[in-house]
Amino acid sequence: MSLLTKAGGVVSLSIFVALVAYLHRSYNDKILNDRLDSVLRGLLRAEKKVGFETRTRVAVGFGACVDGFVNATDIFHNLGFIPPDIPEHYSVIRDQDELGKVFSYFFRHGAAGERYIENRTLFESIVNEARRHSFTRWAVGGNAPVMAQRFAKEGCEVMLGAKVSPHLAGLLGSNIKIAGDTIDDEDIHIALEYATGTSWGNFKSPRANRFFIHSDQFNPYIDSLELFSQAAASFSPQLLVVGGLQMMDSFPFKPGVRKERLQKLGEVLASTSKKTMIHFEMASFSEEALLQDLVEHVIPYSDSLGMNEQELPNLYSALMNGTATLISDAYPRIAHVLDQMRAVYKILGQTSEKNNRRKLTRLHVHTLAYQAIITTSGSPWKNTMSAAAKASLTANRHVCGSNFIHLEKARLIIDESFAASQAHGSRRISFENNRPVSCWKEGNYEFCVAPVLVCTQVFQTAGGGDNVSSAGLAVQI
Ligand SMILES: *[C@@H]1O[C@H](CO)[C@@H](O)[C@H](O)[C@H]1NC(C)=O
Ligand SMILES: *[C@@H]1O[C@H](CO)[C@@H](O)[C@H](O)[C@H]1NC(C)=O
Ligand SMILES: *[C@@H]1O[C@H](CO)[C@@H](O)[C@H](O)[C@H]1NC(C)=O
Ligand SMILES: *[C@@H]1O[C@H](CO)[C@@H](O)[C@H](O)[C@H]1NC(C)=O
C-alpha cells in the first residue's frame, strides 16, 4: 500500500517536473524566437536603409572554372579510399593516400581548404566518378565569377577577367562582360562537401564545410591579366576586385614564374586610376613565399581587404613574422578577431603612398557567427552599418539557398554582448535586438559588427565568402 502511494507520488512528481521543464523550455523557446525575430527585422531594416546606386561599374578578376559539388564521404567510399590513421599536411597532392591525409587534416577542424592535385590520373578518376552521379551539382566556380555574379545581381555593370569556355560563358549569363579569350578546355574544381558531425574513419567534422581539389592548367597563371588590364582601363570601374589568387598556391611553377606574374599584377594595380577603389579578397594560402609576394605586390595596392576567420590569422602572422598559419579556431571569440583586425589595419593603414601604393581604408572579416567591418572615417566607403547587415543576411540566404529567411532555419550563436578587445578593462558592447548592428568609433576608423542568423539547414557552403564579401562591398561604393 505504502509502496503504491510512493510510486504514485513519484509518478505525479515526475509529471510535474516534466510539465515545469516543458513550460520552461517553451518559455525559453519563445524568448529565443522573439530575439531571432527582432534581430532579423533589425537587419532587414538596416539592409534597406541604402538605395542602390545601380550601374556602378565593377571589374572582377581572376579566373573561372566549373565546380562539381559532391558528398565527400560518399565519393571516397565509392572510389574505395580509406581514411588515414594520422592526418598530415601536403602542399601538393600526389596520390590518394596524401589526399586522404590532407583532407582529414582540414576536415577534423571543419576548416575550408583547397589543394592542387599533381597526379592527373587521380584527379580525373575523381572527376569521372563525380560525372557518373546524377546528384553531383555543377555550377560556375572560382571566386571571381561568383563575385561577378553577385555584383550583377546587385545591379552593377560587371566585367570579368577570365578565359572561359563556351559552356562556362553560357552558365555565366549575358549580363557579365568577359575580358579574356575563349578557350575550349576548362578547369574543373571538385568541392568535397560534408555536414556538421560527419564521420570519416576516426575523424568527425565540427562544422559543415568543404575541401576543394583541382588540377588547373590555366588559372594559376592569371593568364587573362593582360586582356583584363586593357579592358579595365576603358571600362573605368569605380571598383576593381582581385580574387582567385589561391590558384597560385602550391602550384608547380617553373622558378620565378609566379613572382613575375604577381609583379605584373602589382604594376597593373599601381597604374589603376585613384578614382577606382581596389579590393583584394583573401583565400586559403599555405605557401609562405606566395603570402610574402602578396604582401609585397598586391596588398599594398589595395584600399580594401576581405577574408574569413581562418584567413585573418594567416595574414596577421604573415605581416608579423612572415609565417603562414594554416588552421585556426573555427569559432574565434569576437574580441580576439577585433584585436587582429586592429593590428592588420594599423600596419596596412600606414602604407606609404609612394609609387601609387594605397593605405588600407576598409577591412571586412566574415565569420560563421558574425560580420565585422572597419572603415576609415572620411574615406570613400559609405554605409558601413548597412554593409555589415547585408553581409550577415547574405550569409544566411546563401547557405540556406533561399532569399527569404526562415526563422526556424536560423540560429544566433553569439552571446548578447561581447568585449571590444582582449585588453584588460576593455568595454563590453551589447547587441541590441532591435538595432542588431553595433557600430562605434575608435581613433580614425569606425567598427561595425553584425550577428549572423546562422543557417541550420545547409544547402551550400562553397562561394559563401565571395557572396558575403561582394554583397557588403556593393553598398559601400
Ligand atoms: C597517381 O594516381 C593513380 C591513381 O590513383 C595511382 O595509381 C598512381 O600510382 C599515382 N601516381 C603517383 C606518381 O603517385
Ligand atoms: C553524405 O552522405 C552520407 C552517407 O550517405 C550522409 O550521411 C551525409 O549526410 C551526406 N552529407 C551531406 C553533406 O550531404
Ligand atoms: C608568428 O606570429 C604568429 C602570430 O603572432 C604566431 O602565432 C607565431 O607563433 C609566430 N611564428 C614565429 C615563427 O614566430
Ligand atoms: C552566391 O553566388 C552563387 C553563384 O553566383 C549563387 O548561385 C548563389 O545563389 C549566391 N547566393 C546568394 C545568396 O545570392
Side-chain angles (χ1 to χ4, degrees), residues 12-28:
S12 51
L13 181 67
S14 58
I15 288 175
F16 177 71
V17 169
L19 185 69
V20 169
Y22 170 76
L23 287 176
H24 185 68
R25 216 187 70 202
S26 54
Y27 178 67
N28 270 348

PDB file of all heavy atoms in Angstrom, residues 12-28:
ATOM      1  N   SER A  12       3.461  11.303 -10.060  1.00  0.00           N
ATOM      2  CA  SER A  12       2.920  12.647 -10.213  1.00  0.00           C
ATOM      3  C   SER A  12       4.036  13.689 -10.114  1.00  0.00           C
ATOM      4  O   SER A  12       4.007  14.700 -10.805  1.00  0.00           O
ATOM      5  CB  SER A  12       1.812  12.926  -9.204  1.00  0.00           C
ATOM      6  OG  SER A  12       2.268  12.593  -7.918  1.00  0.00           O
ATOM      7  N   LEU A  13       5.062  13.368  -9.284  1.00  0.00           N
ATOM      8  CA  LEU A  13       6.188  14.313  -9.197  1.00  0.00           C
ATOM      9  C   LEU A  13       6.884  14.409 -10.551  1.00  0.00           C
ATOM     10  O   LEU A  13       7.185  15.505 -11.032  1.00  0.00           O
ATOM     11  CB  LEU A  13       7.188  13.866  -8.121  1.00  0.00           C
ATOM     12  CG  LEU A  13       8.375  14.823  -7.980  1.00  0.00           C
ATOM     13  CD1 LEU A  13       7.921  16.159  -7.426  1.00  0.00           C
ATOM     14  CD2 LEU A  13       9.476  14.237  -7.108  1.00  0.00           C
ATOM     15  N   SER A  14       7.078  13.228 -11.198  1.00  0.00           N
ATOM     16  CA  SER A  14       7.804  13.297 -12.467  1.00  0.00           C
ATOM     17  C   SER A  14       6.965  13.985 -13.544  1.00  0.00           C
ATOM     18  O   SER A  14       7.488  14.679 -14.393  1.00  0.00           O
ATOM     19  CB  SER A  14       8.289  11.913 -12.908  1.00  0.00           C
ATOM     20  OG  SER A  14       7.199  11.053 -13.034  1.00  0.00           O
ATOM     21  N   ILE A  15       5.624  13.800 -13.452  1.00  0.00           N
ATOM     22  CA  ILE A  15       4.770  14.527 -14.414  1.00  0.00           C
ATOM     23  C   ILE A  15       4.915  16.029 -14.174  1.00  0.00           C
ATOM     24  O   ILE A  15       5.069  16.823 -15.095  1.00  0.00           O
ATOM     25  CB  ILE A  15       3.286  14.105 -14.274  1.00  0.00           C
ATOM     26  CG1 ILE A  15       3.125  12.688 -14.818  1.00  0.00           C
ATOM     27  CG2 ILE A  15       2.374  15.070 -15.040  1.00  0.00           C
ATOM     28  CD1 ILE A  15       1.740  12.121 -14.626  1.00  0.00           C
ATOM     29  N   PHE A  16       4.908  16.382 -12.866  1.00  0.00           N
ATOM     30  CA  PHE A  16       5.030  17.787 -12.514  1.00  0.00           C
ATOM     31  C   PHE A  16       6.365  18.365 -13.028  1.00  0.00           C
ATOM     32  O   PHE A  16       6.405  19.415 -13.650  1.00  0.00           O
ATOM     33  CB  PHE A  16       4.934  17.919 -10.984  1.00  0.00           C
ATOM     34  CG  PHE A  16       5.115  19.333 -10.509  1.00  0.00           C
ATOM     35  CD1 PHE A  16       4.123  20.285 -10.745  1.00  0.00           C
ATOM     36  CD2 PHE A  16       6.266  19.713  -9.841  1.00  0.00           C
ATOM     37  CE1 PHE A  16       4.288  21.589 -10.314  1.00  0.00           C
ATOM     38  CE2 PHE A  16       6.438  21.022  -9.415  1.00  0.00           C
ATOM     39  CZ  PHE A  16       5.446  21.959  -9.646  1.00  0.00           C
ATOM     40  N   VAL A  17       7.464  17.589 -12.795  1.00  0.00           N
ATOM     41  CA  VAL A  17       8.789  18.044 -13.247  1.00  0.00           C
ATOM     42  C   VAL A  17       8.800  18.206 -14.766  1.00  0.00           C
ATOM     43  O   VAL A  17       9.265  19.206 -15.295  1.00  0.00           O
ATOM     44  CB  VAL A  17       9.893  17.055 -12.796  1.00  0.00           C
ATOM     45  CG1 VAL A  17      11.225  17.368 -13.493  1.00  0.00           C
ATOM     46  CG2 VAL A  17      10.063  17.116 -11.285  1.00  0.00           C
ATOM     47  N   ALA A  18       8.207  17.220 -15.443  1.00  0.00           N
ATOM     48  CA  ALA A  18       8.185  17.273 -16.906  1.00  0.00           C
ATOM     49  C   ALA A  18       7.405  18.496 -17.376  1.00  0.00           C
ATOM     50  O   ALA A  18       7.796  19.187 -18.314  1.00  0.00           O
ATOM     51  CB  ALA A  18       7.557  15.995 -17.466  1.00  0.00           C
ATOM     52  N   LEU A  19       6.281  18.768 -16.662  1.00  0.00           N
ATOM     53  CA  LEU A  19       5.440  19.900 -17.050  1.00  0.00           C
ATOM     54  C   LEU A  19       6.209  21.212 -16.867  1.00  0.00           C
ATOM     55  O   LEU A  19       6.226  22.070 -17.750  1.00  0.00           O
ATOM     56  CB  LEU A  19       4.163  19.902 -16.205  1.00  0.00           C
ATOM     57  CG  LEU A  19       3.140  20.966 -16.606  1.00  0.00           C
ATOM     58  CD1 LEU A  19       2.552  20.630 -17.972  1.00  0.00           C
ATOM     59  CD2 LEU A  19       2.021  21.062 -15.562  1.00  0.00           C
ATOM     60  N   VAL A  20       6.871  21.341 -15.704  1.00  0.00           N
ATOM     61  CA  VAL A  20       7.658  22.556 -15.442  1.00  0.00           C
ATOM     62  C   VAL A  20       8.751  22.693 -16.504  1.00  0.00           C
ATOM     63  O   VAL A  20       8.943  23.765 -17.080  1.00  0.00           O
ATOM     64  CB  VAL A  20       8.277  22.526 -14.027  1.00  0.00           C
ATOM     65  CG1 VAL A  20       9.292  23.653 -13.871  1.00  0.00           C
ATOM     66  CG2 VAL A  20       7.189  22.655 -12.980  1.00  0.00           C
ATOM     67  N   ALA A  21       9.436  21.560 -16.785  1.00  0.00           N
ATOM     68  CA  ALA A  21      10.510  21.590 -17.784  1.00  0.00           C
ATOM     69  C   ALA A  21       9.957  22.019 -19.133  1.00  0.00           C
ATOM     70  O   ALA A  21      10.543  22.824 -19.839  1.00  0.00           O
ATOM     71  CB  ALA A  21      11.175  20.211 -17.894  1.00  0.00           C
ATOM     72  N   TYR A  22       8.751  21.487 -19.446  1.00  0.00           N
ATOM     73  CA  TYR A  22       8.149  21.801 -20.741  1.00  0.00           C
ATOM     74  C   TYR A  22       7.815  23.291 -20.819  1.00  0.00           C
ATOM     75  O   TYR A  22       8.144  23.981 -21.778  1.00  0.00           O
ATOM     76  CB  TYR A  22       6.888  20.953 -20.946  1.00  0.00           C
ATOM     77  CG  TYR A  22       6.091  21.384 -22.146  1.00  0.00           C
ATOM     78  CD1 TYR A  22       6.516  21.057 -23.437  1.00  0.00           C
ATOM     79  CD2 TYR A  22       4.942  22.166 -21.987  1.00  0.00           C
ATOM     80  CE1 TYR A  22       5.813  21.490 -24.535  1.00  0.00           C
ATOM     81  CE2 TYR A  22       4.233  22.596 -23.086  1.00  0.00           C
ATOM     82  CZ  TYR A  22       4.667  22.263 -24.356  1.00  0.00           C
ATOM     83  OH  TYR A  22       3.971  22.703 -25.448  1.00  0.00           O
ATOM     84  N   LEU A  23       7.158  23.782 -19.724  1.00  0.00           N
ATOM     85  CA  LEU A  23       6.775  25.197 -19.719  1.00  0.00           C
ATOM     86  C   LEU A  23       8.024  26.076 -19.799  1.00  0.00           C
ATOM     87  O   LEU A  23       8.055  27.065 -20.511  1.00  0.00           O
ATOM     88  CB  LEU A  23       5.993  25.523 -18.440  1.00  0.00           C
ATOM     89  CG  LEU A  23       4.580  24.951 -18.416  1.00  0.00           C
ATOM     90  CD1 LEU A  23       3.924  25.234 -17.077  1.00  0.00           C
ATOM     91  CD2 LEU A  23       3.746  25.539 -19.565  1.00  0.00           C
ATOM     92  N   HIS A  24       9.052  25.661 -19.039  1.00  0.00           N
ATOM     93  CA  HIS A  24      10.289  26.431 -19.017  1.00  0.00           C
ATOM     94  C   HIS A  24      10.908  26.462 -20.410  1.00  0.00           C
ATOM     95  O   HIS A  24      11.338  27.490 -20.891  1.00  0.00           O
ATOM     96  CB  HIS A  24      11.256  25.792 -18.021  1.00  0.00           C
ATOM     97  CG  HIS A  24      12.513  26.576 -17.848  1.00  0.00           C
ATOM     98  ND1 HIS A  24      12.520  27.806 -17.243  1.00  0.00           N
ATOM     99  CD2 HIS A  24      13.778  26.327 -18.220  1.00  0.00           C
ATOM    100  CE1 HIS A  24      13.740  28.286 -17.249  1.00  0.00           C
ATOM    101  NE2 HIS A  24      14.537  27.414 -17.836  1.00  0.00           N
ATOM    102  N   ARG A  25      10.884  25.259 -21.077  1.00  0.00           N
ATOM    103  CA  ARG A  25      11.501  25.209 -22.396  1.00  0.00           C
ATOM    104  C   ARG A  25      10.718  26.039 -23.404  1.00  0.00           C
ATOM    105  O   ARG A  25      11.288  26.790 -24.180  1.00  0.00           O
ATOM    106  CB  ARG A  25      11.619  23.765 -22.884  1.00  0.00           C
ATOM    107  CG  ARG A  25      12.914  23.588 -23.685  1.00  0.00           C
ATOM    108  CD  ARG A  25      12.995  22.241 -24.325  1.00  0.00           C
ATOM    109  NE  ARG A  25      12.027  22.140 -25.381  1.00  0.00           N
ATOM    110  CZ  ARG A  25      11.561  20.994 -25.844  1.00  0.00           C
ATOM    111  NH1 ARG A  25      11.960  19.875 -25.332  1.00  0.00           N
ATOM    112  NH2 ARG A  25      10.683  20.992 -26.821  1.00  0.00           N
ATOM    113  N   SER A  26       9.396  25.936 -23.343  1.00  0.00           N
ATOM    114  CA  SER A  26       8.651  26.697 -24.345  1.00  0.00           C
ATOM    115  C   SER A  26       8.777  28.191 -24.041  1.00  0.00           C
ATOM    116  O   SER A  26       8.782  29.006 -24.957  1.00  0.00           O
ATOM    117  CB  SER A  26       7.203  26.243 -24.438  1.00  0.00           C
ATOM    118  OG  SER A  26       6.614  26.278 -23.176  1.00  0.00           O
ATOM    119  N   TYR A  27       8.920  28.536 -22.734  1.00  0.00           N
ATOM    120  CA  TYR A  27       9.151  29.939 -22.397  1.00  0.00           C
ATOM    121  C   TYR A  27      10.501  30.396 -22.978  1.00  0.00           C
ATOM    122  O   TYR A  27      10.607  31.424 -23.631  1.00  0.00           O
ATOM    123  CB  TYR A  27       9.135  30.102 -20.873  1.00  0.00           C
ATOM    124  CG  TYR A  27       9.408  31.510 -20.411  1.00  0.00           C
ATOM    125  CD1 TYR A  27       8.484  32.530 -20.675  1.00  0.00           C
ATOM    126  CD2 TYR A  27      10.585  31.825 -19.737  1.00  0.00           C
ATOM    127  CE1 TYR A  27       8.745  33.821 -20.265  1.00  0.00           C
ATOM    128  CE2 TYR A  27      10.839  33.123 -19.340  1.00  0.00           C
ATOM    129  CZ  TYR A  27       9.916  34.111 -19.605  1.00  0.00           C
ATOM    130  OH  TYR A  27      10.178  35.383 -19.207  1.00  0.00           O
ATOM    131  N   ASN A  28      11.545  29.536 -22.784  1.00  0.00           N
ATOM    132  CA  ASN A  28      12.873  29.837 -23.347  1.00  0.00           C
ATOM    133  C   ASN A  28      12.827  29.920 -24.863  1.00  0.00           C
ATOM    134  O   ASN A  28      13.420  30.810 -25.459  1.00  0.00           O
ATOM    135  CB  ASN A  28      13.862  28.752 -22.948  1.00  0.00           C
ATOM    136  CG  ASN A  28      14.535  29.090 -21.634  1.00  0.00           C
ATOM    137  OD1 ASN A  28      14.419  30.229 -21.172  1.00  0.00           O
ATOM    138  ND2 ASN A  28      15.212  28.130 -21.053  1.00  0.00           N
TER     139      ASN A  28
END
